[in-house]
Amino acid sequence: MPKVTRDDVARLAGTSTAVVSYVINNGPRPVAPATRERVLAAIAELGYRPNSVAQAMASRRTNLIGMVVPDARQPFFAELSHAVERVASERGKIVLLGNSDYTAEREIHYVRAFLGMRVAGLILISQGPSLQTAAEFAAHDDARVVLLHRRPASSEDVAVVTDDVGGAELAVAHLLGHGHPYVACFGGPVAAPAPGDPVVDHTEGWRRAMAAAGVDTEAKGRLIDAPFDRYGAYRVAVDLLDSPDRPPAIFCSTDDQAIGVLRAAREVGLRVPEDLAVAGFDDLPEAGFSDPPLTTVASDRDAMARAAVDLVLDDSLLVPGSDTPRVRRFPSRLVVRRSCGCGESPRSRS
């Protein structure tokens, strides 16, 4: 069968090809509702498929959204990127995903590649955009960039984040409320990122909750350097929990760490929560299926993903002095399960 063209759609709809183009591209000129319906009906009847490459060349913008994450194998980033992809699909966009592997070189590689492909926007989960990354943004002055999950204190970029400090305070205060003399904290590795990183903020929330309860955070063994993933956290926890100075309760900066701690506790013969209370941060789906189910802090990943996609497609980001909020911060809430010492509960606390 011959290929259906825009001219064919215009003839069937009884209008011009320019009007067909306005309907397909949603502008730049308005189209009367009745005319729009005729064009859409003609498109459906003929099975017309617009040439997306030609559209992108005409508008100098594709229907792609670039997204760079540190490591899509980590459950939190997998959940967040999936949420972004789902929302982008609703908006008729396709997400291209790149993994920076926590290195500036790979981050720059993907930022440069995606911006060079004329993506509609770029969503970046970064340890902190480097000077080279910032230079790439500047070289593409029509680029719409949104930071997600983390916004360095020095950054002026638009960002979507959650209340990491407040959420951690909720979890640690809850553990202390069970009568534990102190709560140890699994922070990040020794070479932790600068302030503004969520894990650093989780540690700050731990410090604040401990200080509010009059508990020392500087005593040896209370802030523990541990990898973000469950495997590294498990190895650290085995040594810690098999020692005479093991803590009575542990707050983990990520659920992945907490899952590693639960595995380690079982291996050394400790019962959770009878011998050791544990809480995490992220509320991964796996947290509700761990044994025992994990008390944790939840952020609204779906709302954050929707906000990030909405912002990255917002032309006002390109307007100097725009009143678009530079930071959208979503609240955290405590999800209470059994690992802290409470009974199973569907309730959450904000």
Side-chain angles (χ1 to χ4, degrees):
M1 294 180 62
K3 181 179 178 181
V4 177
T5 67
R6 195 167 295 191
D7 289 337
D8 298 326
V9 174
R11 278 193 294 271
L12 183 58
T15 187
S16 68
T17 54
V19 170
V20 173
S21 177
Y22 300 154
V23 171
I24 292 171
N25 296 311
N26 198 29
R29 295 185 179 180
V31 177
T35 304
R36 176 180 293 274
E37 290 301 318
R38 291 204 314 273
V39 171
L40 293 175
I43 288 173
E45 181 177 337
L46 295 173
Y48 174 67
R49 295 291 179 269
N51 186 325
S52 58
V53 174
Q55 285 181 283
M57 291 177 65
S59 65
R60 300 188 68 213
R61 187 74 63 188
T62 67
N63 67 340
L64 305 173
I65 292 176
M67 183 172 184
V68 183
V69 302
D71 186 351
R73 296 171 300 180
Q74 290 191 19
F76 176 81
F77 296 128
E79 287 283 320
L80 195 53
S81 58
H82 184 268
V84 167
E85 188 275 333
R86 186 172 59 248
V87 175
S89 179
E90 294 172 4
R91 303 287 298 273
K93 305 299 181 183
I94 297 170
V95 175
L96 301 177
L97 185 66
N99 289 270
S100 69
D101 290 334
Y102 293 98
T103 67
E105 291 77 13
R106 286 182 63 82
E107 179 177 283
I108 294 164
H109 165 75
Y110 280 113
V111 167
R112 181 179 296 138
F114 290 161
L115 293 179
M117 294 169 68
R118 309 299 302 178
V119 293
L122 179 67
I123 296 174
L124 179 61
I125 301 179
S126 174
Q127 293 301 101
S130 66
L131 292 177
Q132 287 177 281
T133 300
E136 291 296 328
F137 297 163
H140 296 80
D141 57 5
D142 61 345
R144 293 177 286 198
V145 180
V146 173
L147 302 182
L148 180 57
H149 180 54
R150 179 181 190 256
R151 185 182 194 256
S154 61
S155 174
E156 294 298 323
D157 294 301
V158 173
V160 177
V161 297
T162 195
D163 182 6
D164 291 290
V165 174
E169 282 188 86
L170 284 173
V172 176
H174 183 78
L175 289 173
L176 289 168
H178 278 275
H180 300 296
Y182 72 94
V183 176
C185 175
F186 267 42
V190 175
D197 181 89
V199 171
V200 175
D201 286 348
H202 297 170
T203 303
E204 175 60 23
W206 166 77
R207 291 185 189 278
R208 292 186 186 184
M210 292 273 280
V215 182
D216 182 19
T217 59
E218 301 303 319
K220 182 179 178 181
R222 295 195 176 178
L223 178 58
I224 299 149
D225 296 312
F228 299 132
D229 64 280
R230 66 189 64 182
Y231 310 105
Y234 156 78
R235 290 190 291 269
V236 172
V238 165
D239 291 338
L240 175 69
L241 299 179
D242 204 24
S243 73
D245 297 324
R246 64 175 176 83
I250 297 176
F251 165 67
C252 295
S253 295
T254 71
D255 279 357
D256 227 23
Q257 289 177 326
I259 289 167
V261 169
L262 293 178
R263 167 68 183 271
R266 176 169 293 183
E267 281 204 11
V268 302
L270 296 179
R271 299 168 301 163
V272 176
E274 293 85 354
D275 303 319
L276 174 72
V278 181
F281 200 114
D282 289 335
D283 195 28
L284 300 176
E286 193 172 352
F289 289 90
S290 62
D291 185 17
L294 180 65
T295 291
T296 185
V297 178
S299 56
D300 194 339
R301 284 188 293 270
D302 289 339
M304 291 172 66
R306 189 167 298 280
V309 172
D310 287 345
L311 284 169
V312 87
L313 298 179
D314 186 349
D315 284 329
S316 70
L317 292 188
L318 306 178
V319 180
S322 165
D323 60 0
T324 299
R326 305 307 292 175
V327 180
R328 289 203 60 187
R329 191 178 305 276
F330 288 82
S332 298
R333 69 185 188 281
L334 181 64
V335 180
V336 178
R337 300 191 180 101
R338 288 210 316 267
S339 68
C340 63
C342 292
E344 187 73 34
S345 171
R347 295 177 295 109
S348 64
R349 306 180 184 188
S350 58

